[in-house]
DNA sequence: TCAAAAATCAATCACTTTCAATCAAAAACA
DNA sequence: TGTTTTTGATTGAAAGTGATTGATTTTTGA
């Protein structure tokens, strides 16, 4: 087989599968591992694909650079750890809803290469998902300026045509009396609906969210599990455990 | 065998197989390797094929989509002018569909401040629209890796809940026989549906698109007006005017 | 959590194939 | 016949190949 031929084959396999492993390519092309590696290096330098450990993935143009603001945002280490743990809950074959927001965004990069289907209402996390070779569906609807979340009738209707194994939701407040809350009623409706459509619902919340109450209620505490970090006081952890299950993540 | 004869044979073998090896050609033509090499060199200089190490390949890439990056660089001045004119067609109060793509993207920045509602299937133009203060709705559906266009059942269903005063569509080919075409059938369906739902439909096409034919048909030429530029030959302009209205934009 | 085990990686070697350049013989032409 | 064009063989250079190495990364399991 000609070099050119083989490289085209690699690209077409990649387009089909979003992501390919080197061993897979060795089998398909009957070439040695070395040769495949050289092909991948060359194709990457041509910007026709992106190499990842163990194989290659489709290249995607960034929708937006991760803004400085996001990087500097509060508790980013904590959020990242929470996101990583949330990603570990996702198993091969799962269908998953991931909410718009900064905490949920950190999940995306840890989902790399998993054979799953993700539905989201957050434009901010689309590129992360695609870069990691995830099959991604987006809700339709009105694009809220600022957060770039999808809301409104269209979004809810879109949502109603899906079922999820797991839903990962962000919230601005988690309070024993008021439950999970968020400022925008429209967003609250999306989050609430997503929880309803999932077998397992998780709210991702760093320690600063506990005790806070926002304008719009999403759900009661007992309607979703909480993923948080050890930064939350032991006392408070125990308090909240009376209302719902709490997954407390250790921070490095 | 005559030189000319042999070269035609090479080309016809190439068309059959997309790619041919030198040894294969030596066998078929009973000529020496050197002769074949000379033929290939000559045919390549005539741009009738592309040499690759070990053989030659066709230069056609109609089924392949140029990457977003490639698209953006080509004819950008022309596209920008076309986009500007398209934006000028939009009146206050209009509800407008804007297709995913690079040409349509240039529209967005010229819509600044207009009191309109925009629906789009292109993630690549969302930020431009929001930055210019446009009320923006997004179709739902599957996010196509690479172009970041929304496609699939969800996208079509979303589309069906809207009505547009005007739709602005991109296409890869515009041909008198084959009509408007684009490589991906899923995208073709979205474009076609959007045209159906609009009182006025416009296809934005720079001069390079005319006469080209891609894999999937969108609509016949007479089902939308074309916005193009004066870079399109006068002769061709007249030819296409027999099939549909042509808005020819002057480039500064 | 941490360290051992496994997998993946880039770099290099020896070997094969393909390449362009050259030259002389054969064929075509006048 | 002599001249030009085409052809096939030869050659050293360039490109491509698979195997092996030891370094790096990821996964596993105590």
């Amino acid at each position: 087989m000609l070099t050119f031929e083989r490289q085209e084959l690699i690209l077409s396999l990649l387009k089909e599968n979003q992501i390919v492993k080197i061993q897979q390519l060795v089998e398909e092309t009957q070439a040695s591992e070395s040769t495949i590696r050289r092909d991948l290096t060359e194709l990457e330098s041509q910007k026709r694909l992106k190499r990842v450990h163990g194989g290659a993935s489709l290249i995607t143009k960034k929708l937006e650079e991760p803004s400085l603001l996001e990087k500097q945002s509060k508790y980013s280490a904590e959020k990242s750890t929470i996101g990583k743990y949330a990603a570990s809950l996702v198993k091969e074959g799962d269908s998953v809803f991931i909410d718009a927001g900064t905490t949920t965004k950190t999940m995306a990069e840890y989902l790399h290469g998993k054979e799953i289907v993700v539905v989201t209402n957050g434009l901010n996390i689309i590129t992360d998902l695609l870069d990691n070779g995830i099959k991604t569906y987006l809700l339709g609807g009105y694009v809220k300026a600022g957060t770039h979340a999808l809301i409104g009738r269209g979004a809810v209707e879109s949502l109603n045509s899906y079922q999820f194994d797991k839903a990962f939701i962000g919230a601005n407040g988690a309070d024993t009396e008021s439950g999970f809350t968020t400022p925008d009623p429209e967003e609250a409706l999306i989050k609430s609906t997503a929880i309803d459509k999932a077998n397992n619902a998780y709210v991702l919340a760093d320690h600063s969210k506990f005790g806070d109450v926002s304008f719009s209620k999403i759900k009661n505490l007992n309607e979703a599990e909480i993923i948080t970090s050890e930064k939350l006081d032991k006392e408070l952890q125990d308090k909240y455990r009376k209302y719902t299950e709490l997954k407390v993540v250790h921070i490095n």
Side-chain angles (χ1 to χ4, degrees), chain A:
Chain A
M1 188 181 311
L2 268 45
T3 305
F4 172 82
E5 216 175 350
R6 191 181 51 241
Q7 292 183 351
E8 290 299 315
L9 178 58
I10 290 174
L11 287 172
S12 75
L13 285 168
L14 189 54
K15 273 188 185 167
E16 274 176 43
N17 305 334
Q18 313 254 37
I19 192 163
V20 284
K21 294 196 177 67
I22 291 210
Q23 282 316 315
Q24 199 178 330
L25 293 175
V26 168
E27 277 181 39
E28 292 279 353
T29 63
Q30 299 290 339
S32 73
E33 206 177 294
S34 296
T35 299
I36 298 296
R37 284 184 197 291
R38 275 186 282 252
D39 283 340
L40 294 185
T41 307
E42 189 182 339
L43 289 169
E44 181 175 45
S45 77
Q46 293 172 8
K47 303 208 194 304
R48 305 232 276 162
L49 53 73
K50 193 177 90 184
R51 291 193 72 176
V52 296
H53 195 86
S57 81
L58 283 173
I59 207 159
T60 53
K61 186 176 160 294
K62 299 255 177 257
L63 240 192
E64 49 185 333
E65 297 297 315
S67 76
L68 213 61
L69 223 116
E70 282 174 39
K71 281 183 190 168
Q72 290 173 342
S73 82
K74 265 188 164 179
Y75 313 125
S76 65
E78 185 179 1
K79 283 177 178 174
S80 174
T81 315
I82 291 173
K84 183 175 183 179
Y85 176 78
S88 76
L89 296 178
V90 178
K91 305 298 173 205
E92 296 285 311
D94 274 354
S95 66
V96 176
F97 178 84
I98 300 182
D99 192 19
T102 52
T103 311
T104 46
K105 179 180 161 72
T106 64
M107 272 188 77
E109 60 188 285
Y110 294 109
L111 291 173
H112 180 82
K114 286 194 173 158
E115 268 292 324
I116 57 176
V117 174
V118 171
V119 179
T120 180
N121 66 327
L123 294 179
N124 63 321
I125 64 178
I126 285 286
T127 44
D128 299 85
L129 291 167
L130 292 176
D131 283 349
N132 286 297
I134 309 286
K135 290 197 178 64
T136 306
Y137 288 77
L138 196 60
L139 299 188
Y142 185 72
V143 184
K144 189 179 162 188
T147 62
H148 289 191
L150 291 159
I151 57 175
R153 204 193 100 198
V156 177
E157 279 179 10
S158 289
L159 202 42
N160 276 319
S161 60
Y162 299 109
Q163 287 291 334
F164 310 110
D165 294 308
K166 288 154 189 147
F168 298 88
I169 309 292
N172 280 59
D175 181 73
T176 52
E177 282 189 23
S178 307
F180 300 112
T181 51
T182 200
D184 185 333
E186 296 263 25
E187 286 198 55
L189 176 59
I190 300 292
K191 291 169 198 280
S192 168
T193 307
I195 291 174
D196 289 338
K197 310 277 293 183
N199 294 333
N200 292 92
Y202 306 91
V203 171
L204 280 51
D206 65 65
H207 72 282
S208 73
K209 307 288 171 57
F210 288 81
D212 277 12
V213 177
S214 252
F215 179 61
S216 306
K217 179 165 180 175
I218 302 168
K219 286 283 183 190
N220 288 318
L221 286 193
N222 62 10
E223 295 179 90
E225 297 180 30
I226 301 180
I227 303 178
T228 186
S229 84
E230 60 186 357
K231 277 206 176 177
L232 183 66
D233 290 355
K234 280 275 192 301
E235 272 182 49
L236 280 175
Q237 287 183 24
D238 291 338
K239 177 179 171 188
Y240 278 88
R241 270 190 232 281
K242 291 176 188 161
Y243 296 89
T244 183
E245 187 167 334
L246 218 57
K247 294 181 188 299
V248 180
V249 182
H250 176 71
I251 300 180
N252 294 326

